[in-house]
Amino acid sequence: MSGTAILVRRIPFAFDEKIDPAWHPRRREWSHMVNGASLAMPYLEPFLIRTVTEALKLVSKPDLKADVQAFIGQEGVHFQNHRRYNEILKQSYPELADVEGALEADYRRFQQRSLRWRLAYTAGFETMTMGITEWLIHQRSILFGNADRSVSSLVLWHMVEETEHKNVAFDLYQNLCGDYWPRVWGTLFGAWHVAMASRKGYKRMLERDGLWRNWRSRLRLYAMIGRFAWHASPAILRSLLPGYHPAGVTDPDWVARWADAYAGLPQGDIPLLDTSDPEIPARFAA
Ligand SMILES: [Fe+2]
Ligand SMILES: [Fe+2]
């Protein structure tokens, strides 16, 4: 259980139509890795929402019910914001519509699977997210320093809320299913599937940029994938231990600082971070 109520923040991020899809000026491959993940969100997150909504009918614990409802709320705002950003990406890369078609087909197929399968996928994907969250927040200076404020703020806000609801899909799976091996499988498959889905997106973008077969670009891409694997793997591996619970994992301090800063922000304001400050403090720029 989360212990404290999970807040649903209906933040309407706004993206400049002329935003450069290479939103990190020195890291085009990294920009496209994030863009590829963003492209998956309006297909993945509605699938998670449909899965937990169906499961909610079977839950009797009031705390868990409230957590699942908040999870639905947070994930709903996430994918709506990503979808707006993705529409801008598609203006530069119209071929991304094919990738979206493939994502839609994947999740339509997954929808036919048992509720236990879908809950294991949901808990598994959310587990991988924890590893990514820790990496992105701890290394935010390298990954977002001097990058576009709106995209950086979107991604880091998403990571904050993933931390806030990290227990929910796990608790739901444990409450309704609880078997160890499907959870292990869900974690490995969920992580692999989302990584592959993102790859489809960044491959198409790098192809259009003329960089997919450029060895320097490929090395930069592999270096970022290596960093991703290095940082996300411990979170995935620790989650495979039989006694694991995500509540036992310490959250980055920055998450609570971000939430405090947001609480002090006038209603309706968009929490834009200052990426020109090397620390990227949990403070919102005017
Ligand atoms: Fe999310
Ligand atoms: Fe999530």
Side-chain angles (χ1 to χ4, degrees), residues 198-208 212-213:
S198 302
R199 182 180 182 277
K200 284 182 190 151
Y202 65 69
K203 179 173 184 279
R204 298 299 282 269
M205 287 181 266
L206 288 170
E207 278 171 347
R208 180 173 282 259
W212 185 246
R213 306 216 170 271

Side-chain angles (χ1 to χ4, degrees), residues 45 75 78 158 162 165:
E45 290 184 316
E75 298 292 21
H78 296 170
H158 194 161
E162 290 302 321
H165 71 230

Side-chain angles (χ1 to χ4, degrees), residues 28 77 171 251:
R28 179 173 286 269
V77 187
D171 283 337
D251 299 336

Side-chain angles (χ1 to χ4, degrees), residues 217-286:
S217 173
R218 188 60 69 91
L219 285 180
R220 286 193 296 267
L221 178 67
Y222 286 159
M224 287 314 289
I225 293 171
R227 282 191 193 191
F228 158 71
W230 179 258
H231 291 278
S233 300
I236 293 173
L237 293 175
R238 81 186 166 214
S239 78
L240 301 180
L241 297 171
Y244 168 81
H245 192 285
V249 177
T250 309
D251 299 336
D253 298 343
W254 194 86
V255 169
R257 292 206 297 276
W258 187 101
D260 286 348
Y262 183 80
L265 200 64
Q267 213 171 12
D269 278 18
I270 296 170
L272 284 178
L273 295 161
D274 182 1
T275 54
S276 67
D277 184 324
E279 274 293 302
I280 313 189
R283 193 171 60 221
F284 305 121

